[in-house]
Amino acid sequence: MKDFNNKVAVITGGGSGLGKALAEAAVKRGMKVVLADVNAKALEQTLEALRAQGADVIGEVLDVTAAAAVAALAERTQQHFGPANLVFNNAGVASAGLIWESSDQDWDWLLAVNVKGVANGLRAFTPQMLAAAKGDADYQGCIVNTASLAGVLTGPAMGVYSVSKHAVMAMSECLYHDLSLLTNQVTAAVLSPSYVFVASRFVRFL
Ligand SMILES: NC(=O)c1ccc[n+]([C@@H]2O[C@H](COP(=O)([O-])OP(=O)(O)OC[C@H]3O[C@@H](n4cnc5c(N)ncnc54)[C@H](O)[C@@H]3O)[C@@H](O)[C@H]2O)c1
């Protein structure tokens, strides 16, 4: 996609960190933006800051682990702005610790947010993007999942996180392959950041 002006970007985890930075970059390029975040206060502050810059942006407080809420976000996006062009499945959480000491709760939490949250995003948005492509030869869309360098390499004391991000890498590659069977108007990409310093950190130590 070369022209972003007036296109629609959806960003989960858009209230802070990389999601907020993605929102700012999208707004700078003239995109209409839909932000979703579980943290209502962070979301509101980011929406206010973007609107102060004249951005056309809406927000939804939701938990990406809730499939119905993510499906409703896709519906709201379609109703308000039309089909999404860029969907950033960016919301993610981390934990640190020895892998055999990671609790049942840690496994459930990280896999739910980092893996199922991304699956919910692609399940909710891919059909609307494929439909848009079918109806408009000029339409282009891309689903961008945030993995991590920890989705490619492994290191000490971040086992559960690394497992979850390897899953995001595999899910993104599978999405790319599956989409390429159907169309060249909708595709998938994956972000694999190394350590990025952002204003708010969400690392839960054991
Ligand atoms: N910062 C880094 O160094 C780094 C490196 C590699 C990958 N990543 C990945 O980048 C993504 C963004 O991370 P960040 O560093 O900006 O973190 P962050 O904590 O600053 O931002 C994450 C945002 O996601 C939201 N969020 C968390 N759980 C959610 C849920 N269940 N539903 C909806 N929103 C939820 C949080 O409220 C927060 O606003 C994550 O997927 C993370 O794993 C970050």
Side-chain angles (χ1 to χ4, degrees):
M1 191 182 307
K2 293 199 174 109
D3 181 14
F4 297 95
N5 195 37
N6 269 324
K7 302 279 186 350
V8 179
V10 179
I11 303 163
T12 67
S16 63
L18 297 178
K20 181 178 175 185
L22 286 167
E24 286 164 351
V27 165
K28 248 185 218 157
R29 286 160 180 75
M31 297 189 84
K32 301 169 205 168
V33 173
V34 180
L35 296 184
D37 204 292
V38 75
N39 183 332
K41 194 170 167 206
L43 180 65
E44 200 43 52
Q45 285 172 351
T46 299
L47 288 170
E48 268 175 35
L50 292 173
R51 284 182 183 132
Q53 298 165 32
D56 196 358
V57 57
I58 59 172
E60 189 77 37
V61 177
L62 62 74
D63 184 336
V64 293
T65 67
V70 183
L73 180 74
E75 184 59 33
R76 186 174 173 211
T77 301
Q78 175 86 49
Q79 299 288 332
H80 196 87
F81 286 137
N85 297 94
L86 291 179
V87 176
F88 292 95
N89 288 309
N90 165 79
V93 290
S95 67
L98 304 173
I99 193 163
W100 64 90
E101 291 182 357
S102 299
S103 67
D104 202 32
Q105 192 193 7
D106 286 318
W107 282 100
D108 284 350
W109 182 51
L110 263 79
L111 295 182
V113 178
N114 293 0
V115 182
K116 207 174 154 217
V118 174
N120 286 340
L122 62 90
R123 206 167 53 231
F125 282 94
T126 307
Q128 111 175 187
M129 297 168 89
L130 289 173
K134 212 170 181 183
D136 177 2
D138 292 331
Y139 170 89
Q140 286 193 309
C142 186
I143 297 176
V144 185
N145 300 326
T146 305
S148 168
L149 192 58
V152 183
L153 304 171
T154 54
M158 51 192 304
V160 185
Y161 181 74
S162 198
V163 167
S164 74
K165 292 300 186 178
H166 273 68
V168 175
M169 289 297 294
M171 196 172 359
S172 306
E173 289 179 13
C174 292
L175 176 64
Y176 174 86
H177 293 310
D178 288 358
L179 285 169
S180 67
L181 294 174
L182 301 180
T183 179
N184 59 11
Q185 289 176 253
V186 186
T187 189
V190 63
L191 285 181
S192 295
S194 178
Y195 196 75
V196 182
F197 288 96
V198 286
S200 62
R201 302 270 5 109
F202 200 80
V203 179
R204 193 173 61 143
F205 292 98
L206 297 178

